[in-house]
Every structure is written in C-alpha cells, then in structure tokens.
Amino acid sequence: MNNYLIRFDDGTSQNVQAACVEYSYDESVFRFRDGDGKAIAWVPSLNVHCVTDSKATAQRP
C-alpha cells in the first residue's frame, strides 16, 4: 500500500492509504484502489489541487 496526500484548493489536505490511484476523465474523480483492485475511495477533482505520493504527482487536468 502507498500513502497518498490529497491537497485541496483551500489549502487543506487528506491522507489516503491505497495500492494505487487513477483518474477518471468521464467521472472527473480520483479513484483509490486497494490491493485487490476494489475502489476504496472516490474524490471529485473539482476542488483537488493535486494528489502526491513518494513517486509522482497527479494534478487535475
């Protein structure tokens, strides 16, 4: 599992522990998945500045 940090436009942040994160263009959400591939959290991208882990940063398009 990886530790992801979600940074919001208002300066707040939230930690999420997940195996991976993906971005859905159709739904405009960041989707976090566990090791079995099950979605464990959905975060609408509207107020998200970026999602970071120790390897990469994903900003909303």
Side-chain angles (χ1 to χ4, degrees):
M1 295 293 248
N2 298 312
N3 289 310
Y4 293 95
L5 178 65
I6 306 167
R7 294 186 181 173
F8 297 95
D9 289 339
D10 66 1
T12 61
S13 61
Q14 176 70 43
N15 288 308
V16 177
Q17 188 173 19
C20 67
V21 61
E22 60 190 37
Y23 183 75
S24 170
Y25 287 94
D26 294 337
E27 299 172 312
S28 297
V29 297
F30 288 96
R31 189 174 294 113
F32 296 84
R33 296 190 179 275
D34 66 10
D36 295 328
K38 296 178 185 175
I40 56 173
W42 295 262
V43 179
S45 65
L46 179 63
N47 296 318
V48 173
H49 177 71
C50 65
V51 176
T52 61
D53 71 358
S54 59
K55 301 172 192 166
T57 299
Q59 290 185 323
R60 73 171 180 247

